[in-house]
Amino acid sequence: MRKLRNKKGMGTVEIVIIIAVLVSLALIFREGLISYGQRVMSFCFDESKVIGSL
């Protein structure tokens, strides 16, 4: 009966599963994420675009 009520390890297992899903999604959509990140960085560090959008 005590083992059925003991749920100390459930949080750790859930976090590991969530991390595994996020890593697998990042690997699947790697190219899209890289191109998106490059576009965001080029926009943020290009002063003419930032000043022009204000």
Side-chain angles (χ1 to χ4, degrees):
M1 290 297 268
R2 287 185 182 177
K3 288 187 177 185
L4 294 176
R5 294 182 185 171
N6 187 5
K7 295 184 179 182
K8 289 182 181 178
M10 291 299 287
T12 304
V13 172
E14 291 170 355
I15 290 174
V16 168
I17 291 172
I18 290 170
I19 290 173
V21 168
L22 290 176
V23 168
S24 63
L25 285 174
L27 289 174
I28 291 171
F29 298 110
R30 178 179 52 194
E31 296 297 324
L33 290 172
I34 290 172
S35 67
Y36 176 74
Q38 289 174 344
R39 282 185 284 153
V40 168
M41 290 297 170
S42 67
F43 179 79
C44 289
F45 293 114
D46 187 10
E47 294 177 9
S48 63
K49 289 183 182 178
V50 174
I51 292 173
S53 67
L54 293 175

